[in-house]
Amino acid sequence: MRTGTSYLRIITFMVLAFFLLEFTIDTGDQIAIEKYPIIWAVLAMLLLFAIAVEVISETLKRILFNGLSPEAKGRYLAAEAAKKENRFGWFKRVYKKLLGSKPVEKEGEIILDHNYDGIKELDNNLPPWWVYMFYATIIFAVVYMVRYHIFDDANQDEEYEIAVAEARAEIDEYKKTAKDLVDVNTVELLTGAEDINAGKTIFEANCVACHKSDGGGGIGPNLVDDYWILGGGIKNVFNTISEGGRAGKGMVAWKTDLKPAEMAQVASYVLSLHGITPAEAKEPEGELWIDENARVDNVSVEVIDSTKVQVIMTDDPVVEDLTTDNQ
């Protein structure tokens, strides 16, 4: 392994092995070597194998070379030198052409008459690569001027706004299929039958022990009335399911057991229970919660006696009568 070609072959082999393992092993969003650290050992074995192959190949080549006669060795070395020259000859010719310089033996053709204490000046041409780049900048400047100053194409500010709008559209499109990106700030009430049924399945599997199958409440509070300990509405209910109830006395946090989409489904199912009549409803707990964004078309207040009033609101999520002390 004394040649750069051997090292290049080993590097190429290892890169191909890495990508082959990466594309053949299903690891989700993680790369293979992160999810399965044993792949490091596999790559190490492959590296040792590649090095062994190169060493054996070089050893066999050396043994065969030493077995040649002096004349055969000379012919072999000459052939290798010619092969190397042909391999890099095109590159060298292109490189010299791009430099555009004169060979040392021909510098007398371009020497100027200037003579400064024996120091003479050569009239070399500018390197072709520099000249071509200068021409390219001229062409670019003309195209830029025509596009932005004559035809008034979008400037940088307008291009930025267009790019931002396109990015937002792509994000919105992605969120339609990536339901687990939802959080307490972006969650919305789900009303589709599929989501409600999925939420019901989760509720029956995890929540009935404390809230009963009809939401009437047991160890946990009643879920069908207008009173909520930690606030009602989809955002508050989602947050309660995710983070848990009151410290030391509320339910546990479910964010480690349920995905965000599943918590949104069960929260929506819980809110769909509002207004039903459970078999054995538990007494209200917490405070009355009214959605500030809900539409209220009609509000009537009826005085029952000197200590009680009855408030009736229509077209509002709170549909049952409210009786409070008049103090």
Side-chain angles (χ1 to χ4, degrees), residues 218-285:
I219 300 174
N222 185 335
L223 300 177
V224 302
D225 59 24
D226 303 309
Y227 291 81
W228 295 86
I229 298 174
L230 297 175
I234 185 62
K235 295 185 183 298
N236 289 321
V237 176
F238 178 93
N239 186 67
T240 302
I241 296 171
S242 173
E243 305 301 325
R246 295 166 294 173
K249 61 176 71 174
M251 72 176 187
V252 299
W254 287 91
K255 61 184 177 183
T256 57
D257 299 286
L258 299 176
K259 297 179 180 178
E262 293 174 331
M263 290 189 290
Q265 289 171 335
V266 70
S268 298
Y269 172 72
V270 167
L271 292 177
S272 72
L273 297 176
H274 179 268
I276 70 172
T277 304
E280 296 178 2
K282 190 177 180 181
E283 290 298 321
E285 296 180 65

Side-chain angles (χ1 to χ4, degrees), residues 28-189:
D29 295 333
Q30 290 181 289
I31 63 175
I33 57 177
E34 286 183 352
K35 189 169 184 178
Y36 303 110
I38 195 173
I39 292 179
W40 284 107
V42 175
L43 291 175
M45 294 296 295
L46 291 175
L47 177 61
L48 292 176
F49 173 77
I51 293 174
V53 170
E54 289 295 331
V55 171
I56 293 172
S57 175
E58 189 67 27
T59 303
L60 290 175
K61 188 184 295 184
R62 178 61 59 183
I63 293 172
L64 293 174
F65 178 79
N66 291 334
L68 296 175
S69 63
E71 294 80 6
K73 288 181 180 179
R75 291 196 298 271
Y76 174 79
L77 292 175
E80 287 292 317
K83 188 187 297 184
K84 185 176 180 180
E85 180 66 25
N86 291 332
R87 186 184 304 163
F88 298 102
W90 177 85
F91 175 78
K92 290 180 179 178
R93 288 193 297 271
V94 172
Y95 177 73
K96 289 181 179 178
K97 189 173 181 180
L98 288 175
L99 289 179
S101 59
K102 285 278 187 179
V104 176
E105 58 272 13
K106 294 183 178 181
E107 284 185 348
E109 299 176 5
I110 57 173
I111 199 166
L112 297 176
D113 294 335
H114 306 159
N115 191 327
Y116 305 96
D117 295 331
I119 300 175
K120 297 183 180 181
E121 182 181 356
L122 297 179
D123 188 20
N124 279 312
N125 294 325
L126 289 170
W129 65 266
W130 191 96
V131 176
Y132 296 148
M133 287 184 62
F134 179 68
Y135 292 155
T137 59
I138 295 175
I139 295 172
F140 176 83
V142 172
V143 173
Y144 186 92
M145 181 185 67
V146 171
R147 179 177 177 180
Y148 292 101
H149 295 281
I150 296 178
F151 293 104
D152 293 327
D153 201 353
N155 56 35
Q156 291 182 340
D157 292 337
E158 293 170 338
E159 288 178 349
Y160 170 77
E161 295 296 335
I162 293 172
V164 169
E166 292 175 350
R168 286 174 177 169
E170 292 176 359
I171 292 173
D172 292 339
E173 187 64 26
Y174 175 71
K175 285 183 176 179
K176 292 179 181 179
T177 56
K179 294 183 177 180
D180 283 331
L181 288 178
V182 67
D183 58 23
V184 68
N185 297 313
T186 59
V187 65
E188 295 181 356
L189 181 65

